[in-house]
Amino acid sequence: MGSSRLMEMLLLLLTGLVIAGSRLDAEALSTNYYAASCPFVEIIVRDTVNQALRRDPTLSGPLLRMHFHDCFVEGCDGSVLIDSTRGNKAEKDSPPNLSLRGYEVIDQAKRAVEQRCPGVVSCADIVAMAARDAVLWAGGPIYDIPKGRLDGRRSRIEDTINLPPPTLNSSALIKIFGQRGFTVQEMVALSGGHTLGVARCSSFKNRLSNFDSVNRVDPSLDQSFAKTLVKACAAGDSSEVSFDSTRTFFDNAYFRAIPVGGGLLSSDQTLFSSPETRGLVDAYAMNQARFFFDFSQAMVKMGLLNVKVGAGGEVRRDCRRVN
């Protein structure tokens, strides 16, 4: 057997072992994981999230986004919560994560849980539960999630290169989500999470001036919407604009805006530019129930990305630092 063929077989074997290992890790989770060890954890986290959202309804989007940013870097292991130290710059200090908010909500939930059942519930599980509860509070679907994730011990700024930037076109989005096992439908459904929250002008200012050699403004933008964005961003790159007209309500307004040129980011509007994704945008725009169902399924799947179990992780005492 030639050396190249042997190497190919070894790579295939290693790939299979990685996939099998990931599947086994995910199977270690269960919806009733804390039934005996911390039976009130769901209530504690939900009450903490609901209290925070009553004080500040705009936190629903950031709590959902935090879970996504956690899972797409090193898996769903709470690594986005870790503070930087003198010897290590952590994920939360990377440019894509500087606008994340809601860390104090996770801290508060963790403290409350630790008082009832110390050393049992991971920060990664609390992030996942908080995102789910924020969606429900905002009027979105109710769904249960498997639990039992452990917290990772690694959080490095360079790892956030794996987060999809807001300038990606549909082909790139399909590829980057596909590499993590998501179908085109699941990618579009997860994009619908943008129905909550805002984006900073720095994320889409490329669409508002000197767009290309022919157009000053991105021609896929509705002209009236473009003027609104230019005015909103006059104050600077840190200015914020809602993804859709219902910033704190989880609905299908995001999908209803895209067909009329109202996608805020390039990665939003591109979903209507591609024949592979346009039909899904139309379907979700017309049928909110279908969007809710597909979003729920995709969120459960996302929450299983590269979870840590056994010796691969720990239950942090403080979500901001490893034990």
Side-chain angles (χ1 to χ4, degrees):
M1 182 181 293
S3 59
S4 61
R5 177 59 179 163
L6 178 60
M7 182 62 69
E8 182 181 345
M9 290 181 66
L10 286 173
L11 287 173
L12 287 172
L13 176 61
L14 287 172
T15 301
L17 289 172
V18 169
I19 292 172
S22 298
R23 189 179 298 118
L24 288 172
D25 287 351
E27 288 173 355
L29 276 61
S30 68
T31 55
N32 61 351
Y33 184 84
Y34 296 112
S37 59
C38 195
F40 300 107
V41 63
E42 299 268 4
I43 296 172
I44 294 171
V45 174
R46 184 172 291 119
D47 285 349
T48 302
V49 170
N50 289 351
Q51 289 172 16
L53 291 175
R54 279 194 290 270
R55 292 191 299 269
D56 182 3
T58 67
L59 279 173
S60 56
L63 287 173
L64 173 58
R65 185 164 168 249
M66 183 185 294
H67 184 36
F68 177 86
H69 280 223
D70 182 35
C71 291
F72 258 62
V73 180
E74 288 294 303
C76 306
D77 64 350
S79 56
V80 73
L81 305 173
I82 295 176
D83 286 340
S84 294
T85 62
R86 181 174 297 178
N88 179 64
K89 201 151 193 178
E91 292 173 28
K92 65 166 53 174
D93 287 325
S94 71
N97 287 335
L98 291 178
S99 59
L100 287 182
R101 297 190 298 128
Y103 294 112
E104 71 284 355
V105 180
I106 306 301
D107 291 337
Q108 185 178 352
K110 175 65 171 175
R111 287 193 296 268
V113 170
E114 285 291 303
Q115 289 177 358
R116 296 295 292 268
C117 27
V120 173
V121 181
S122 68
C123 301
D125 272 349
I126 292 174
V127 170
M129 287 186 276
R132 176 202 59 190
D133 296 340
V135 167
L136 179 62
W137 188 91
I142 183 171
Y143 57 95
D144 203 357
I145 55 173
K147 292 164 284 289
R149 303 163 187 79
L150 289 181
D151 297 319
R153 301 183 180 92
R154 173 190 174 100
S155 182
R156 297 184 180 176
I157 190 171
E158 59 265 27
D159 294 339
T160 59
I161 194 172
N162 294 318
L163 289 170
T167 54
L168 292 184
N169 60 28
S170 59
S171 298
L173 286 171
I174 290 170
K175 180 179 179 180
I176 197 170
F177 276 80
Q179 289 171 341
R180 289 165 174 77
F182 292 106
T183 66
V184 175
Q185 181 189 59
E186 289 165 340
M187 181 273 288
V188 176
L190 287 172
S191 297
H194 280 175
T195 188
L196 294 176
V198 300
R200 291 186 173 182
C201 289
S202 57
S203 298
F204 56 85
K205 67 178 184 179
N206 63 300
R207 307 182 71 196
L208 304 179
S209 63
N210 302 317
F211 179 70
D212 58 28
S213 59
V214 178
N215 301 283
R216 185 177 65 84
V217 176
D218 184 346
S220 67
L221 268 174
D222 173 77
Q223 290 186 359
S224 177
F225 184 45
K227 291 177 181 177
T228 299
L229 296 181
V230 169
K231 184 177 180 181
C233 294
D237 287 357
S238 295
S239 301
E240 296 177 337
V241 177
S242 301
F243 281 105
D244 65 25
S245 59
T246 58
R247 172 182 179 176
T248 58
F249 292 95
F250 195 96
D251 52 25
N252 66 342
Y254 167 83
F255 291 108
R256 288 187 276 112
I258 291 174
V260 293
L264 184 60
L265 306 178
S266 296
S267 57
D268 296 321
Q269 194 60 46
T270 189
L271 298 179
F272 200 69
S273 304
S274 168
E276 291 184 85
T277 54
R278 185 184 303 124
L280 289 163
V281 171
D282 284 334
Y284 293 149
M286 292 185 292
N287 190 334
Q288 181 169 279
R290 177 178 175 183
F291 163 50
F292 277 19
F293 178 80
D294 288 350
F295 177 83
S296 300
Q297 299 290 103
M299 282 294 291
V300 171
K301 183 173 179 177
M302 187 189 77
L304 302 177
L305 281 177
N306 297 326
V307 293
K308 309 292 190 297
V309 298
E314 63 185 15
V315 175
R316 280 188 226 133
R317 292 184 291 269
D318 182 338
C319 290
R320 293 176 180 262
R321 55 187 58 86
V322 299
N323 291 340

